[in-house]
Amino acid sequence: LEQGYRHIDTANAYLNEKAVGRGMRASGVPREDIFLSTKLWPTEYDDAGAAIDATLERLGTDYVDMLILHQPICDYIGAWKAMEHAYNDGKVCSLGLSNFPQEKIQEVIDAAEIKPQLVTVECHPYFPQTELKALLAEHNIALQAWYPLGGRGNDSIMTEVLVQELAEKHGKSPAQVLLRWHIQQGHIVIPGSKTPSHIAQNIDLFDFALTDEDMAQIDSLDKGKPFFEHNDE
């Protein structure tokens, strides 16, 4: 928040909602200036209404800006209905899905009175979610990218020669080039870091732009394969 971020992404499963609430209050940033997202874990889907109230209590807030179903298992349709009630009661401002495959996103859309406004998935130049984005565009659903920098060590996209060349060209870091690609793709992006210098660097993205040629070159890195495979059964 001190570096200028105004979107906080947390979840019941991260076991840090109380700390997030304390941090928000200690920051001095007005609550209405913060976009707060959290998620329900599948073990709470059967009593999602109570889980939502417990989340608000842990966060120390009357509402969350975005509430997301964390995984596409258990009774996610029943949980979605509870989220709609919370939306109508003013406890939640918008609703989303995390890690849902296309057929289950469509299932929720078909069953919902309040349609999903966001889907959060693994997304980066190696796995740009091209097919999924076509479905989301059809329903005006935003894509939020987790693991936006992709990979670690020698498998990291940041080690790609192209990405390093573009970083040198623009006087930025490889991470900044990749995050700028996300922004210009229209993605909501949630990089995570515990390193203050990286936190500052990851938001320093608005004094340069990638050219159409730069974007096309990064697009060519598509491998059509995520780093993380999900088993939703």
Side-chain angles (χ1 to χ4, degrees):
L1 290 168
E2 289 175 353
Q3 292 292 342
Y5 291 89
R6 291 297 179 266
H7 178 193
I8 298 176
D9 178 83
T10 185
N12 296 5
Y14 302 162
L15 303 179
N16 65 358
E17 287 179 319
K18 287 184 178 180
V20 166
R22 288 196 300 269
M24 288 169 52
R25 291 187 292 276
S27 72
V29 177
R31 170 66 186 91
E32 61 270 19
D33 291 347
I34 299 171
F35 192 95
L36 176 62
S37 297
T38 193
K39 310 176 191 75
L40 297 181
W41 190 247
T43 55
E44 298 177 300
Y45 290 178
D46 285 343
D47 196 3
I52 293 166
D53 289 340
T55 278
L56 294 176
E57 184 175 353
R58 285 192 295 270
L59 288 165
T61 185
D62 295 331
Y63 70 98
V64 292
D65 298 278
M66 171 67 69
L67 183 63
I68 298 167
L69 294 181
H70 208 149
Q71 298 287 350
I73 56 175
C74 302
D75 183 15
Y76 51 84
I77 296 297
W80 188 265
K81 294 300 181 182
M83 288 165 58
E84 290 179 331
H85 286 304
Y87 178 98
N88 289 327
D89 289 342
K91 298 175 182 179
V92 178
C93 298
S94 50
L95 307 179
L97 303 169
S98 174
N99 299 314
F100 274 58
Q102 291 189 50
E103 65 274 11
K104 292 189 176 181
I105 293 171
Q106 188 64 59
E107 183 184 356
V108 174
I109 290 171
D110 292 341
E113 294 181 18
I114 300 167
K115 308 299 182 185
Q117 290 142 298
L118 175 120
V119 169
T120 178
V121 288
E122 178 183 345
C123 181
H124 43 70
Y126 283 173
F127 190 57
Q129 296 281 4
T130 303
E131 186 177 344
L132 173 62
K133 286 174 69 175
L135 172 67
L136 300 186
E138 180 182 342
H139 295 282
N140 196 30
I141 299 172
L143 183 145
Q144 178 172 273
W146 62 257
Y147 211 57
L149 301 177
R152 291 184 172 87
N154 292 332
D155 292 329
S156 172
I157 305 173
M158 289 188 284
T159 65
E160 285 278 355
V161 172
L162 169 64
V163 174
Q164 295 181 344
E165 289 176 348
L166 290 175
E168 184 174 353
K169 170 185 173 181
H170 291 282
K172 291 290 185 178
S173 71
Q176 288 171 314
V177 167
L178 293 175
L179 292 172
R180 184 70 204 184
W181 172 85
H182 280 284
I183 288 172
Q184 290 182 217
Q185 286 282 1
H187 305 159
I188 299 166
V189 62
I190 44 172
S193 178
K194 298 178 181 178
T195 306
S197 61
H198 290 168
I199 292 170
Q201 184 185 91
N202 287 345
I203 201 171
D204 185 20
L205 305 174
F206 302 101
D207 58 352
F208 81 110
L210 299 171
T211 67
D212 290 344
E213 182 182 1
D214 295 339
M215 293 291 289
Q217 288 180 308
I218 297 174
D219 289 345
S220 73
L221 298 175
D222 182 2
K223 295 182 178 182
K225 185 176 174 62
F227 284 98
F228 300 96
E229 297 286 354
H230 291 280
N231 181 0
D232 299 326
E233 298 303 321

